[in-house]
Amino acid sequence: MFTGPTVGGLLNATCGNATELIIAIFALLQHKVDVVKYSLLGSVLSNLLLVLGTSLFCGGLANLNKEQKFDRKQADVNSLLLLLGLLCHLLPLMFRMAAPAQADSVVTSQATLQLSRVSCIFMLVAYIAYLVFQLWTHRQLFETQEEENEEGAAAEEETPVIGFWSGIVWLAGMTAVIALLSEFVVGTIQDASDTWGLSVSFISLILLPIVGNAAEHAGAIIFAFKNKLDISLGVALGSAAQISMFVVPLCVIVAWILNIDMNLDFNLLETGCLALSILITAFALQDGTSHYMKGLVLLLCYVVIGACFFVSRTPLNQNHDQADIVNLGFKSSAQGYSTL
């Protein structure tokens, strides 16, 4: 109410992503690079499929007698950013997989790491340019048009519950509390995996993002119920783009500063899920209208991906394990032994 839908949606996404960023930093300090990758990827998938899907589904059910519309310009720009982030994730993966079988795995991993770090710098530049585009040069493209109906008139009569600076203080206080709790969360992931019998990948990729995105989830659904899809899209898509184009490259840069090897190679299964999720979401939003069926499809996609990682038992440090297996196979073959 104080900043308008554009800045409000950006603030909502940024503050909601504070959880993922803080968890990622603590995990990096404990050298849990796989947990960082899984949690950030899970956050993007959660925003694209779970948060956006629930918003479109609930908004469609609450407005069955109306055609829900939204401004495609905002969705198009966010989709472009997500596709750019996907390209930066695909290149290190394809580079590693396209390396000759006889190539030195250490040399390949170092080249992949250097490619990832350079890509992250350009991703940060692209996100800064997006902020300038969104908040200054083309702000009019993101401002929603007020509906001249009874609901719009009622919305204008709403008054803020708390003041602007009170909201800032609450946001800062909750962020500090999250920072304290995140350290305990990261430290207990492995114990929770052993106790519950769930893989670390499922906990980090599915459970952590659901909890971390709770604030954005609730806000996006409330706006969808009020038929304010532009704000819901700003929260869900804006948050996904921010994680992909700002938080992920920032974590890679921080890991670089801490002398920790973290690249953008998220492995084939994880990157494939990300690519298909972005494409499905882009197709769902291409016509500028929404109904509950689109939301249901996005939700089912998220359930299927969750089931995939629930049954998956991929070990941590998968890249190193695969490299060791390849090297072991070549050594055994060279010595004349048969390999499976």
Side-chain angles (χ1 to χ4, degrees):
M1 294 183 180
F2 289 104
T3 61
T6 303
V7 180
L10 180 62
L11 283 174
N12 198 329
T14 302
C15 297
N17 290 334
T19 308
E20 285 80 3
L21 180 59
I22 294 172
I23 289 177
I25 296 298
F26 276 114
L28 276 179
L29 293 176
Q30 299 181 22
H31 294 262
K32 296 181 178 180
V33 176
D34 296 283
V35 173
V36 176
K37 288 184 175 182
Y38 281 132
S39 63
L40 295 180
L41 175 63
S43 180
V44 176
L45 296 179
S46 175
N47 279 292
L48 288 179
L49 301 179
L50 180 63
V51 177
L52 183 59
T54 307
S55 300
L56 297 183
F57 180 72
C58 294
L61 291 180
N63 300 272
L64 284 175
N65 299 326
K66 302 177 183 177
E67 183 182 20
Q68 289 192 292
K69 295 182 179 181
F70 56 87
D71 191 355
R72 282 186 53 192
K73 299 183 183 68
Q74 179 181 5
D76 290 343
V77 175
N78 282 307
S79 296
L80 283 175
L81 280 179
L82 288 170
L83 289 172
L84 174 59
L86 176 61
L87 174 65
C88 294
H89 286 291
L90 280 172
L91 288 178
L93 172 65
M94 294 187 295
F95 183 83
R96 175 173 62 84
M97 298 185 68
Q102 66 273 15
D104 188 352
S105 61
V106 177
V107 175
T108 302
S109 62
Q110 285 298 318
T112 303
L113 181 62
Q114 293 173 2
L115 175 61
S116 299
R117 288 170 174 174
V118 172
S119 299
C120 287
I121 295 175
F122 289 109
M123 290 168 73
L124 290 175
V125 171
Y127 188 74
I128 294 174
Y130 164 70
L131 292 180
V132 175
F133 179 85
Q134 181 186 34
L135 299 178
W136 284 285
T137 61
H138 289 72
R139 182 171 182 172
Q140 68 278 4
L141 298 180
F142 295 86
E143 293 178 350
T144 56
Q145 300 294 328
E146 296 182 358
E147 297 179 357
E148 298 179 357
N149 51 28
E150 297 180 357
E151 291 186 4
E156 293 178 357
E157 297 176 359
E158 294 179 357
T159 57
V161 178
I162 58 177
F164 178 78
W165 290 109
S166 299
I168 296 296
V169 171
W170 273 105
L171 287 175
M174 289 294 98
T175 303
V177 173
I178 289 172
L180 293 175
L181 297 179
S182 297
E183 185 175 7
F184 296 102
V185 171
V186 173
T188 57
I189 287 178
Q190 187 62 54
D191 295 333
S193 175
D194 298 335
T195 303
W196 296 344
L198 299 174
S199 64
V200 174
S201 60
F202 179 79
I203 294 177
S204 302
L205 197 141
I206 301 298
L207 297 185
L208 276 183
I210 289 178
V211 177
N213 290 333
E216 309 156 53
H217 203 165
I221 293 175
I222 291 173
F223 289 125
F225 269 118
K226 296 181 178 180
N227 201 18
K228 297 179 179 179
L229 286 185
D230 288 300
I231 303 181
S232 295
L233 290 175
V235 172
L237 284 181
S239 180
Q242 188 178 75
I243 289 288
S244 179
M245 298 297 295
F246 177 73
V247 179
V248 171
L250 181 63
C251 288
V252 174
I253 299 299
V254 171
W256 188 5
I257 296 173
L258 297 176
N259 199 25
I260 299 173
D261 293 344
M262 176 181 175
N263 55 38
L264 294 177
D265 182 4
F266 281 25
N267 297 322
L268 182 59
L269 178 61
E270 291 81 356
T271 307
C273 291
L274 176 63
L276 292 175
S277 299
I278 293 175
L279 292 177
I280 292 172
T281 303
F283 274 110
L285 301 177
Q286 65 178 343
D287 61 349
T289 62
S290 174
H291 44 75
Y292 73 88
M293 190 61 197
K294 291 184 177 181
L296 179 61
V297 170
L298 295 179
L299 282 175
L300 292 179
C301 290
Y302 188 75
V303 172
V304 172
I305 292 177
C308 173
F309 285 98
F310 180 79
V311 301
S312 174
R313 289 294 184 269
T314 303
L316 296 181
N317 300 320
Q318 185 182 23
N319 292 342
H320 299 290
D321 294 339
Q322 290 177 345
D324 292 339
I325 291 173
V326 172
N327 291 335
L328 179 61
F330 279 109
K331 290 179 181 178
S332 301
S333 299
Q335 295 172 358
Y337 298 112
S338 61
T339 58
L340 294 179

